[in-house]
Amino acid sequence: MPHPYRTLSACALVAATVFTGCADDTSPADSRSTADAGETADAGETADSADVEFARAMIPHHEQALEMARMVPGRDVSPDLVDLAAEVEAAQQPEIDTLTALLRRWDAAPPDAGRFPAGRPTPPGTAPMSGMMSAGDMTSLERSSGPAFERRWLVMMVEHHEGAVTMAERELANGTNSEARALAEEIIAAQRAEIDRMNDMLHRGDHG
């Protein structure tokens, strides 16, 4: 008959082994990994004042670019300009939608469409909108056509794009939200490429 103390010792050894195995499954290293993942996710979701200002300013800035792009059809301009204007509209409307969604996620009110027309002072809480055209600039563009319109449009849009690049660079310098910063990088790359393209059109074309 087995000795009772030996049986008890064997059971204690099994229990200790099981307990040790369970403890390994929830090691401090695993806990740290989980915490780090949570912190990374939180960092991507939060936004500071620079991120909010960037989004609130870039929306009306893009809206003015859309207004200019929608003037192009029917102006007796080159097919290259028609294509470029269509590409500007196709790229910037989705960016407006993304910026609006980010602001809502951050519990920050997005600007109303058309709230900041050309020539009106920028409201508090919105970063400066570099490269915005004045009301007079937009009226002059609207009243032109043909080669004169094309040249004026290209000159204005180069300045407008340069302003967007400045605003996006400000976001990279000051913002912390990963999605806003990624969008700023996309804006810089796309608009610099379009600036080069428009300057090439200005130099090689006959726009009056």
Side-chain angles (χ1 to χ4, degrees):
M1 181 174 180
H3 195 284
Y5 293 110
R6 290 178 182 173
T7 303
L8 181 59
S9 298
C11 291
L13 179 61
V14 171
T17 302
V18 171
F19 178 79
T20 302
C22 293
D24 288 343
D25 290 341
T26 55
S27 66
D30 290 341
S31 299
R32 283 196 301 272
S33 298
T34 303
D36 291 344
E39 289 173 4
T40 301
D42 290 344
E45 291 295 327
T46 58
D48 63 14
S49 60
D51 299 311
V52 173
E53 290 175 357
F54 165 70
R56 284 178 55 79
M58 194 61 79
I59 289 171
H61 196 275
H62 274 14
E63 285 174 347
Q64 188 176 70
L66 293 183
E67 183 181 353
M68 292 172 63
R70 289 164 183 163
M71 289 184 189
V72 170
R75 296 278 175 174
D76 190 23
V77 296
S78 70
D80 285 347
L81 186 63
V82 173
D83 290 345
L84 176 59
E87 290 171 23
V88 167
E89 185 171 358
Q92 297 202 20
Q93 183 58 60
E95 289 176 354
I96 290 172
D97 296 339
T98 297
L99 291 163
T100 301
L102 286 174
L103 285 169
R104 287 176 176 154
R105 193 187 309 165
W106 302 333
D107 293 326
D112 296 332
R115 183 178 173 184
F116 313 130
R120 181 171 297 180
T122 303
T126 301
M129 293 182 280
S130 305
M132 286 288 279
M133 299 297 107
S134 69
D137 291 331
M138 297 297 284
T139 298
S140 179
L141 182 64
E142 177 69 32
R143 291 175 178 172
S144 61
S145 62
F149 172 91
E150 183 158 346
R151 180 173 182 78
R152 190 185 302 272
W153 192 96
L154 289 168
V155 170
M156 289 171 60
M157 192 61 86
V158 166
E159 182 179 350
H160 201 270
H161 273 27
E162 287 173 345
V165 170
T166 297
M167 293 162 64
E169 288 174 338
R170 189 183 301 127
E171 163 63 15
L172 292 181
N174 302 315
T176 60
N177 182 267
S178 59
E179 291 176 271
R181 290 173 58 83
L183 183 56
E185 289 175 346
E186 291 173 13
I187 288 171
I188 290 170
Q191 301 215 6
R192 279 180 175 165
E194 288 180 352
I195 288 169
D196 291 342
R197 181 175 169 186
M198 289 186 286
N199 281 328
D200 183 61
M201 291 171 67
L202 281 166
H203 293 150
R204 65 180 167 78
D206 180 11
H207 309 295

